[in-house]
Amino acid sequence: MSTNLVFPSGVRPFAVRSSVAWDGWARHGFAPLDVVVEVVLGSGQLMRLAGPGRCSWLAGHGRWIPMGSGAVENVTARATRARETVRPRVLLVLRDNPQYVVTELAWASDTALDEVLGWLGRPVTREAAGLVSVRERLQARSNDYWLLEAAMAALELPEAGRDLPVLPGISVVVSARGAQSVLAGTVGSVVEAAERLPRRTPWECVVVDDLSETPLRLPAGLPPQVRLVRAAERVYRGGARNLGQQLSSHPVTVFIDDDLQMAPNYLREHAVRHLLSPCLVTVSGRMEYLEPTAPRPGRLPYGKQGSADVFRQLGAGGTVGPREVYRLVGRGDIVASRPLADMGFPPDYVAYGPEDETFVAKALSRGAFVVPVAETGVFRRGYRRAGDLVSQDMARVDAFLANMDRQEVHFDAPADGGWAAAR
């Protein structure tokens, strides 16, 4: 296991041999994986618990019986109210066949059940009846993504240097407006990053023209996976991303702004994490500004986005609240697994809005983990869009302030509902 991996108090790692874990994975065609926690409740029930929105399993009659979210909540709520402790085993399993254990990752003894639920992204306290807001849900869950790190360490990913299997298909959605001068560089970086993926990994790139005054054009010579669509009306960045998602088809989606260029290893580094977790948002760890005429670097960006420890402070018990999320994720690129990408971005922000932080807050409230990827990043071409409000024209200031008011409406809206119209 990686020496950099920090386990929660009382949790002990198994002595996992990466070659054994890798071979167990390979025997099933490198299917996507998931992490579950096996517990025995005081009633004698043996369960394998998965994260929110995913099927958990109950042992019975010599087989594993699937359990829906409602059944899991009822069983665990009774055990939590009784203040039960459990002896959890953390298992890496096949996502489509969680009865097959690839390897054991960690174990613990005499652990509170609500703490175990928190490892999986479930709220650590039983919610009262009625609708729960995004803001309230964030206060009841943790973003400590040590389960993902344990799975990566067990397989020695991505540092091992061994050839990766085919990754989950990747869709790239580029929201664009008036970006003809930088579009070739942006799309070119996507193609270059796609060429670094394992062979046969499916990918596509959807460029959404948000009704530019002069319609955008793709440069010549691009592969057929790249296509351009034009919105029928002005939908701004969130709406353009939602349109691109509707037109895409793969299990993982990269949302990226029109003035950003990917590092060559961008798609590979992000996708491998989504291969090991079905409810994940990843954000890049580096961003570097480039002059408009500078060539696209064939290297990683300089600089770091911030300590991973800060990301772990999102949610319950942490010091980073919804208002502070933007400084962690507001870089113009977000990578999300399909169920979260289908959730969409708030469609009511106009001009300069906090789409990324609002999306991440809602994803967290639904059980996702938000993970920084320090091994890759993006380059931003041209001027810095995020700046001092005083230096911006009044129309943009007014739009920004109105968007911040809309954000408060979204934070107070039900976590499990759609986006409330907050115009």
Side-chain angles (χ1 to χ4, degrees), residues 139-265:
Q139 297 170 355
R141 61 144 303 177
S142 165
N143 191 50
D144 189 347
Y145 42 84
W146 73 271
L147 292 179
L148 172 64
E149 291 192 332
M152 293 186 65
L155 296 166
E156 291 187 352
L157 293 175
E159 297 84 1
R162 53 164 63 102
D163 290 337
L164 284 172
V166 175
L167 294 175
I170 304 170
S171 300
V172 180
V173 174
V174 181
S175 53
R177 178 174 168 83
Q180 193 64 57
S181 63
V182 295
L183 190 58
T186 299
V187 176
S189 74
V190 174
V191 174
E192 181 180 355
E195 292 172 347
R196 303 288 186 97
L197 294 171
R199 293 178 57 190
R200 303 185 307 280
T201 299
W203 68 278
E204 63 183 341
C205 177
V206 182
V207 180
V208 180
D209 180 358
D210 185 21
L211 208 66
S212 300
E213 294 181 4
T214 301
L216 298 177
R217 306 180 310 278
L218 291 178
L222 294 174
Q225 291 95 327
V226 183
R227 65 188 190 275
L228 172 69
V229 298
R230 182 171 166 85
E233 60 180 350
R234 184 77 193 277
V235 290
Y236 300 95
R237 184 170 67 166
R241 289 176 171 181
N242 293 343
L243 176 58
Q245 175 64 12
Q246 293 169 13
L247 299 174
S248 64
S249 57
H250 292 311
V252 177
T253 304
V254 179
F255 298 100
I256 191 167
D257 287 354
D258 52 19
D259 61 347
L260 295 181
Q261 296 180 8
M262 298 177 174
N265 67 343

Side-chain angles (χ1 to χ4, degrees), residues 312-384:
R312 296 179 189 276
Q313 294 169 10
L314 291 167
T319 59
V320 181
R323 279 292 192 187
E324 289 76 36
V325 172
Y326 185 75
R327 64 186 175 90
L328 298 178
V329 303
R331 296 294 193 268
D333 70 307
I334 292 281
V335 185
S337 54
R338 184 90 206 183
L340 298 169
D342 285 343
M343 178 180 74
F345 290 79
D348 53 357
Y349 291 150
V350 297
Y352 175 54
E355 293 90 350
D356 289 352
E357 63 180 295
T358 312
F359 175 87
V360 163
K362 197 173 185 72
L364 279 166
S365 75
R366 293 191 174 187
F369 287 94
V370 181
V371 179
V373 182
E375 294 82 2
T376 191
V378 293
F379 299 91
R380 170 151 278 160
R381 179 77 62 174
Y383 68 91
R384 304 189 182 198

Side-chain angles (χ1 to χ4, degrees), residues 400-422:
F400 176 80
L401 295 177
N403 285 337
M404 297 306 290
D405 290 339
R406 295 183 180 107
Q407 184 186 53
E408 292 300 308
V409 174
H410 291 310
F411 284 162
D412 290 327
D416 296 323
W419 294 108

Side-chain angles (χ1 to χ4, degrees), residues 41 45 47-58 66-82 113-114 117 120-130 132 137 365-367 416:
L41 300 181
Q45 293 174 303
M47 301 179 64
R48 286 182 177 169
L49 297 169
R54 310 204 292 280
C55 184
S56 295
W57 300 80
L58 175 70
M67 297 182 67
S69 297
V72 171
E73 288 179 6
N74 289 334
V75 171
T76 56
R78 288 196 298 270
T80 300
R81 286 196 296 269
L113 180 58
D114 58 357
L117 297 175
L120 293 163
R122 294 179 176 273
V124 297
T125 57
R126 178 64 175 171
E127 296 172 348
V132 180
R137 186 72 64 75
S365 75
R366 293 191 174 187
D416 296 323

Side-chain angles (χ1 to χ4, degrees), residues 43 107 151 238 329 420:
S43 60
W107 65 279
V329 303

